[in-house]
Structure formats: structure tokens, C-alpha cells
């Protein structure tokens, strides 16, 4: 009987496991929407978080912007390298988890929104991508009015990092010849 109870308990635990499921893949310049729990990000409640993935190339800048679609929500986000199928209970807003490498978080960077909780901003910021691969964006509620479920819009844009222009070869040759001429004149003045 003890074995049967243990097997039943193990089966119930597995049945209640909730692996992270991604809402979709964010495409540069195309807004997407979702719904999250009001305090889910702040309290590390993975069941109230929306997980998105993006593909990014080394040498690009990824800009992430979240706009609340309901004044009761105070959205926040975390950005990670990799994807995961870990259980939602392992979610951590400010650190790596489930094989994900934490890169950073955003909260209140966008101009202030005057809502029921006062002056709070929405997430807006950029991340420099150094490794080509798939990344995870986790969106949830920070300091919302309550633990209700509220809508938001997320927009991701990716742009190549502007290269620093190198001087042209002909300009470098001219500068080199000018330097040689200057040294030659200096040497001639020193000998006379």
C-alpha cells in the first residue's frame, strides 16, 4: 500500500509540473501582445510570466520595449541567453535558471506612466548581442495595482552595431609620406 501511495504521489507531482512554454518568437519591428500577472515578475511567479524567444546575431543591438495596455499593470522584463523547458516554478527575474544565462532586466525606463499606482514607467532598453543564438525574454508584472491578469504589447527591434569607419588606404599613405617628409626636413635643419 505504501508503494502504491508513493507512486500515486509521484504521478500527481509530475501531472502538476508546468514546463515553460514560449508564446512565440518575436520578429524585429512586429509588435506582439500577451497577458501577465500583476506581481508575477516581482514575486518570481513563473506561471504568470510570458516567455518569448528571439534569434539574434552577434554584432547586433536588440531593443526591447513593453507597453502596458491596462493602467493597472506595471510591466517588467528579464533577458536571457538560451531557451529552456524548465518548470515555471524555477523562474528567477534577476538570475539565470533552467540553463538560461541572465543578461539583464528592464523596468521603468520608458517615460513615466501616470496610473493608479503613481508615476511608473514601462520597460525600454537595448542589449548588445555578442553571441549568435536564441534568447529568451520573460515579461511579467512588477509593482502593479494587484495580482490580476493584464494585457501588454512588446516590440523587439534588432539593428547592426554601427561600424567605426577605418581610414582609407590612400589617406594613410598620404599621412605616412607627410610624416616622412616632416622627419626629413627636421633632420636637414638639425644638420645645418
Amino acid at each position: 500500500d505504501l508503494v502504491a501511495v508513493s507512486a500515486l504521489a509521484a504521478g500527481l507531482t509530475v501531472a502538476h509540473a508546468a514546463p515553460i512554454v514560449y508564446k512565440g518568437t518575436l520578429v524585429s519591428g512586429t509588435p506582439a501582445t500577451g497577458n501577465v500577472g500583476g506581481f508575477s515578475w516581482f514575486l518570481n511567479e513563473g506561471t504568470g510570466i510570458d516567455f518569448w524567444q528571439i534569434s539574434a546575431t552577434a554584432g547586433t543591438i536588440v531593443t526591447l520595449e513593453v507597453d502596458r495596455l491596462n493602467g493597472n499593470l506595471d510591466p517588467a522584463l528579464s533577458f536571457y541567453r538560451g531557451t529552456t523547458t524548465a518548470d515555471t516554478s524555477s523562474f528567477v527575474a534577476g538570475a539565470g535558471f533552467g540553463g538560461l544565462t541572465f543578461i539583464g532586466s528592464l523596468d521603468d525606463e520608458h517615460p513615466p506612466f501616470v496610473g493608479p499606482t503613481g508615476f511608473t514607467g514601462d520597460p525600454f532598453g537595448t542589449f548588445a548581442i555578442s553571441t549568435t543564438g536564441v534568447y529568451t525574454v520573460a515579461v511579467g508584472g512588477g509593482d502593479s495595482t494587484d495580482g490580476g491578469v493584464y494585457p501588454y504589447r512588446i516590440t523587439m527591434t534588432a539593428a547592426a552595431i554601427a561600424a567605426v569607419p577605418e581610414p582609407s588606404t590612400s589617406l594613410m599613405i598620404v599621412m605616412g609620406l607627410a610624416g616622412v617628409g616632416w622627419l626629413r626636413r627636421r633632420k636637414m635643419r638639425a644638420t645645418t
Side-chain angles (χ1 to χ4, degrees), residues 127-145:
F127 297 96
I129 303 299
S130 59
T131 305
T132 297
V134 182
Y135 291 77
T136 294
V137 180
V139 179
D143 187 22
S144 303
T145 59

Side-chain angles (χ1 to χ4, degrees), residues 9 15 19 22 43-44 48 59 65-66 70-71 81 85 88 95 119-120 122 124-125 142 164-165 178 182 184:
Y22 287 83
L43 297 176
N44 292 320
E65 178 177 9
V66 176
N70 181 297
R81 185 172 54 243
T85 56
T88 55
F119 293 92
T120 60
D122 289 343
F124 179 81
V164 177
W182 178 78
R184 192 172 193 185

